[in-house]
Amino acid sequence: MTVSDEVGPVLAQYPDGVIPAGCPSRAVLDHVTSKWGLLVLVSLVDGPHRWSELRRRAQGVSEKMLAQTLRTLESDGFVHREAFPVIPPRVEYSLTPLGEGLARHLVPLVEFVADHAEEVVRRRS
Amino acid sequence: MTVSDEVGPVLAQYPDGVIPAGCPSRAVLDHVTSKWGLLVLVSLVDGPHRWSELRRRAQGVSEKMLAQTLRTLESDGFVHREAFPVIPPRVEYSLTPLGEGLARHLVPLVEFVADHAEEVVRRRS
């Protein structure tokens, strides 16, 4: 079976097999495959996390980029933000059911890349 | 089964479940999930294509970005470039076996996003 046979009904509807530039899918793809979008989503796979945990897990992300990434993923409906009325304030982020569905496809991709990264780097040098 | 249970051995080796900033995986992930990297890879799923076909399929890509994207994916070992000694010159691009393995994970992700993009856009507005 070729990869092409595995293309589902959504992509198959486009005669060229790719997403036209005007489609909303393009914007959503950009959000979830952006460097930090992807790492934040994968960081939430094992359950809810607080801001400081996410900053640590998505190593290298700035405060500003983490805030912006979480806002985008929340507006898209992939991430849920819950503020607990306690002192000091506590805010937790988690995947929504839609975000879990998405993560189910992101995790194998990240696994594949992580599994082959050394091979790729060896080839480049 | 939670998404977390589906995390394979590669991600599980990192105590935080995400890829440390210095890992080669980060750079490779950036290549394959970049806007044009992803669209070019998905465009090659149904077989080899010539430059002009790829430009049309990855709608919106500039000459410069397509050249740069193909060069990166070729150096990474995901894309094979073949120049045929004919007049006028003919160059075809195709997925390598490694690229096919990668595409197997990209296609379901793109399908999922395309399938839910309208829902996401509705929620945002």
Side-chain angles (χ1 to χ4, degrees), chain A residues 26-42:
Chain A
R26 283 270 188 114
V28 181
L29 257 185
D30 280 351
H31 299 168
V32 304
T33 62
S34 75
K35 186 199 202 80
W36 303 120
L38 195 147
L39 288 176
V40 164
L41 287 163
V42 172

Side-chain angles (χ1 to χ4, degrees), chain A residues 25-117:
Chain A
S25 312
R26 283 270 188 114
V28 181
L29 257 185
D30 280 351
H31 299 168
V32 304
T33 62
S34 75
K35 186 199 202 80
W36 303 120
L38 195 147
L39 288 176
V40 164
L41 287 163
V42 172
S43 295
L44 288 170
V45 155
D46 62 350
H49 287 290
R50 298 168 73 160
W51 170 276
S52 54
E53 291 166 340
L54 285 177
R55 255 216 88 180
R56 189 169 46 79
R57 292 165 76 90
Q59 215 182 87
V61 72
S62 68
E63 298 264 333
K64 190 182 155 194
M65 282 312 297
L66 181 56
Q68 193 177 308
T69 302
L70 284 166
R71 251 196 323 267
T72 301
L73 294 175
E74 199 192 342
S75 315
D76 281 349
F78 297 119
V79 165
H80 173 69
R81 178 185 186 279
E82 181 136 20
F84 296 90
V86 291
I87 296 173
R90 191 171 126 229
V91 180
E92 272 187 7
Y93 299 87
S94 57
L95 294 178
T96 61
L98 186 67
E100 285 197 1
L102 176 67
R104 242 169 252 278
H105 298 293
L106 284 177
V107 166
L109 171 67
V110 175
E111 279 277 329
F112 180 90
V113 171
D115 209 14
H116 293 84

Side-chain angles (χ1 to χ4, degrees), chain A residues 123, chain B residues 40-41 44 47-52 54 66-86 88-97 99:
Chain A
R123 180 178 286 122
Chain B
V40 165
L41 287 163
L44 288 171
H49 285 290
R50 298 166 74 160
W51 170 276
S52 55
L54 285 176
L66 181 55
Q68 193 176 309
T69 302
L70 284 167
R71 249 195 326 264
T72 302
L73 294 174
E74 199 192 343
S75 314
D76 281 350
F78 297 121
V79 165
H80 173 68
R81 178 185 185 278
E82 181 137 17
F84 296 91
V86 291
R90 191 170 125 230
V91 180
E92 272 187 7
Y93 299 87
S94 57
L95 294 178
T96 62

Side-chain angles (χ1 to χ4, degrees), chain B residues 98-118:
Chain B
L98 187 67
E100 285 198 0
L102 177 67
R104 243 169 251 279
H105 298 294
L106 284 177
V107 166
L109 171 68
V110 175
E111 279 277 329
F112 180 91
V113 170
D115 209 16
H116 292 84
E118 281 192 26

Side-chain angles (χ1 to χ4, degrees), chain A residues 6 8 10-11 16 18 21 24 26 30 33 35 39 43 56-57 59 76 104 111 114 121 123-124, chain B residues 6 8 10-11 16 18 21 24 26 30 33 35 39 43 56-57 59 76 104 111 114 116 121 123-124:
Chain A
E6 292 164 33
V10 183
L11 281 180
D16 278 342
V18 286
R26 283 270 188 114
D30 280 351
T33 62
K35 186 199 202 80
L39 288 176
S43 295
R56 189 169 46 79
R57 292 165 76 90
Q59 215 182 87
D76 281 349
R104 242 169 252 278
E111 279 277 329
V121 170
R123 180 178 286 122
R124 288 183 74 93
Chain B
E6 293 164 34
V10 184
L11 281 179
D16 279 341
V18 286
R26 283 269 188 115
D30 281 352
T33 63
K35 185 199 205 77
L39 288 176
S43 294
R56 188 170 47 80
R57 293 164 76 90
Q59 214 181 85
D76 281 350
R104 243 169 251 279
E111 279 277 329
H116 292 84
V121 171
R123 178 178 287 122
R124 289 185 73 95

